[in-house]
Amino acid sequence: MKLTIALLPGDGIGPEVIDQAVKVCDAVANKFNHEINWNKALTGAAAIDAVGDPYPEETHEICSTSDAVLFGAIGDPKYDNDPSAKVRPEQGLLRMRKKLGLFANVRPTFTFPSLIDKSPLKRERIEGTDLVFLRELTGGIYFGKRGREDNGDTAYDTCTYTRAEITRLARKGFELAMKRSGKLCCVDKANVLESSRLWRETVQAMEKEYPEVNVSYEFVDAVAMRLVQWPNDYDVLITENLFGDILTDEASVISGSMGLMPSASLGESIGLYEPIHGSYPQAAGKDIANPLATVLSAAMMFDDLDLSEEAAAIRDVVNASLAQGIVTEDLADGGTSYKTSEVGDWLAQNV
Ligand code: IPM
Ligand code: MG
């Protein structure tokens, strides 16, 4: 099979971790007789520096004509402390999500048996944790009306959702729940917010289409607490954009390292695959970042391209590297650690 994949390394450690994913994907392609044509494009601060736009039209063209997009990370500290900056790397990410129609952000959290003691949570709480958030990604307060009034002394951001936006996200949640344990949790703040009441009403109306799925409704503050207390109570969780942003960072802690969790952003056609961690500027260029989240994101990509054996080959080799201690310093516990590029080489050789 011939695949065309858009490659967006982005900022910070993005290029380094993306390089490892490319090595591993090429090794998988070789093993299964595929040919991957990588189309590199600019995003984030790297794109601002080069062409003054964090998501240039040319990049959009490349993404929308590819079979999938593999993305590293964006963000640069030089923009973080400058509230007056006119263009920011994050604007590129939001525009990319919107223009590619990536409304469903799939963020799994699971534990690796060999790393269970890396988690700050007690072993007995997290053994067997395996849950997935479906975060709505192109609506809500991220894209609502915002502004200043009162000579700049009052600021507002609004959270707006339509029934159609909620339905399409919830449908993906119901479908995923059917493939998994049949448990779906709708996370909202329906005791306070009108938009949350529309979420609840919409999801409740869909329940009869999916009689096999057992749906619960929980307030976001309670989920924030129960997620780290009893993570094994959850399987598939659906939620709006901002709640999902916050809860998925919280959930990533369960696995023990930010450097491990992959993600997918899906729409009607194209999918974008990226590690959940950010650009980690302190580590950029040092060849120390953990590439596994990006490599596992590539596995999600193969799954969605209906190449599940290829995806399994990636997950197997990642598990083997963890079991054999071929890990970057974040997982080495002060013992022998390997460089980002060495982990990538090992994975590619052992696929
Ligand atoms: C994420 C990030 C982004 C978000 C930022 C970088 C805009 O935190 O992907 O979770 O808030 O969506
Ligand atoms: Mg976030």
Side-chain angles (χ1 to χ4, degrees):
M1 182 172 182
K2 273 197 161 71
L3 294 167
T4 302
I5 314 273
L7 195 64
L8 274 42
D11 304 324
I13 58 167
E16 296 160 58
V17 292
I18 280 285
D19 279 351
Q20 313 319 313
V22 168
K23 284 181 203 167
V24 177
C25 289
D26 282 339
V28 168
N30 198 19
K31 181 174 166 137
F32 290 90
N33 276 318
H34 304 304
E35 196 185 310
I36 305 181
N37 172 22
W38 298 102
N39 269 339
K40 215 179 217 177
L42 287 167
T43 43
I48 299 178
D49 292 344
V51 296
D53 179 348
Y55 186 57
E57 197 43 47
E58 195 193 333
T59 300
H60 181 63
E61 193 55 38
I62 289 176
C63 291
S64 42
T65 53
S66 297
D67 297 307
V69 182
L70 191 61
F71 180 67
I74 64 165
D76 189 303
K78 74 181 172 212
Y79 298 95
D80 291 348
N81 301 319
D82 179 9
S84 69
K86 289 252 163 0
V87 270
R88 313 177 154 274
E90 290 77 9
Q91 288 164 347
L93 183 62
L94 299 184
R95 197 147 27 95
M96 176 166 74
R97 289 171 178 171
K98 194 75 171 178
K99 285 183 79 172
L100 292 173
L102 305 172
F103 63 84
N105 185 211
V106 186
R107 294 190 168 178
T109 287
F110 45 87
T111 49
F112 296 87
S114 54
L115 297 179
I116 210 110
D117 294 315
K118 289 250 130 223
S119 173
L121 302 184
K122 291 198 181 87
R123 166 184 279 271
E124 61 269 26
R125 300 281 168 131
I126 56 162
E127 254 167 350
T129 295
D130 181 7
L131 54 88
V132 190
F133 274 94
L134 278 181
R135 165 190 176 194
E136 202 290 326
L137 203 58
T138 53
I141 201 164
Y142 274 63
F143 293 93
K145 222 189 242 159
R146 73 186 82 232
R148 295 273 180 123
E149 284 172 355
D150 188 21
N151 285 329
D153 290 340
T154 303
Y156 61 92
D157 298 272
T158 50
C159 178
T160 305
Y161 270 108
T162 65
R163 206 181 289 276
E165 285 172 322
I166 301 165
T167 304
R168 67 183 180 179
L169 189 275
R171 202 166 289 294
K172 285 206 187 284
F174 276 106
E175 281 162 10
L176 187 60
M178 301 242 291
K179 287 197 210 141
R180 293 172 52 103
S181 76
K183 236 165 62 174
L184 180 69
C185 178
C186 174
V187 184
D188 62 32
K189 188 74 187 172
N191 51 347
V192 178
L193 302 177
E194 196 55 39
S195 54
S196 282
R197 288 192 273 274
L198 182 60
W199 269 78
R200 203 171 270 220
E201 186 185 305
T202 305
V203 176
Q204 274 168 348
M206 293 172 78
E207 276 188 45
K208 56 180 178 308
E209 290 177 58
Y210 301 91
E212 308 89 331
V213 178
N214 182 356
V215 190
S216 65
Y217 298 86
E218 292 181 34
F219 298 138
V220 60
D221 47 351
V223 173
M225 180 183 67
R226 286 168 39 80
L227 194 57
V228 284
Q229 219 173 4
W230 306 110
N232 291 346
D233 283 358
Y234 295 107
D235 185 20
V236 180
L237 302 100
I238 53 174
T239 193
E240 61 95 56
N241 204 341
L242 182 61
F243 296 162
D245 177 46
I246 298 167
L247 291 177
T248 55
D249 263 24
E250 186 193 356
S252 77
V253 168
I254 297 171
S255 73
S257 169
M258 258 271 190
L260 291 171
M261 291 297 122
S263 79
S265 298
L266 309 176
E268 300 305 344
S269 51
I270 198 159
L272 176 142
Y273 302 84
E274 63 174 308
I276 67 151
H277 60 70
S279 58
Y280 191 18
Q282 304 87 328
K286 294 190 181 154
D287 205 16
I288 56 170
N290 189 339
L292 293 186
T294 312
V295 171
L296 290 169
S297 299
M300 290 181 87
M301 176 178 83
F302 280 113
D303 260 335
D304 289 345
L305 293 169
D306 281 329
L307 299 171
S308 51
E309 277 183 57
E310 289 78 346
I314 295 184
R315 295 197 179 98
D316 287 348
V317 77
V318 164
N319 283 329
S321 73
L322 292 172
Q324 296 185 39
I326 316 296
V327 293
T328 41
E329 64 181 27
D330 54 309
L331 297 178
D333 258 337
T336 310
S337 71
Y338 294 78
K339 295 287 183 194
T340 310
S341 54
E342 290 170 335
V343 173
D345 289 341
W346 192 93
L347 296 170
Q349 276 154 20
N350 289 280
V351 152

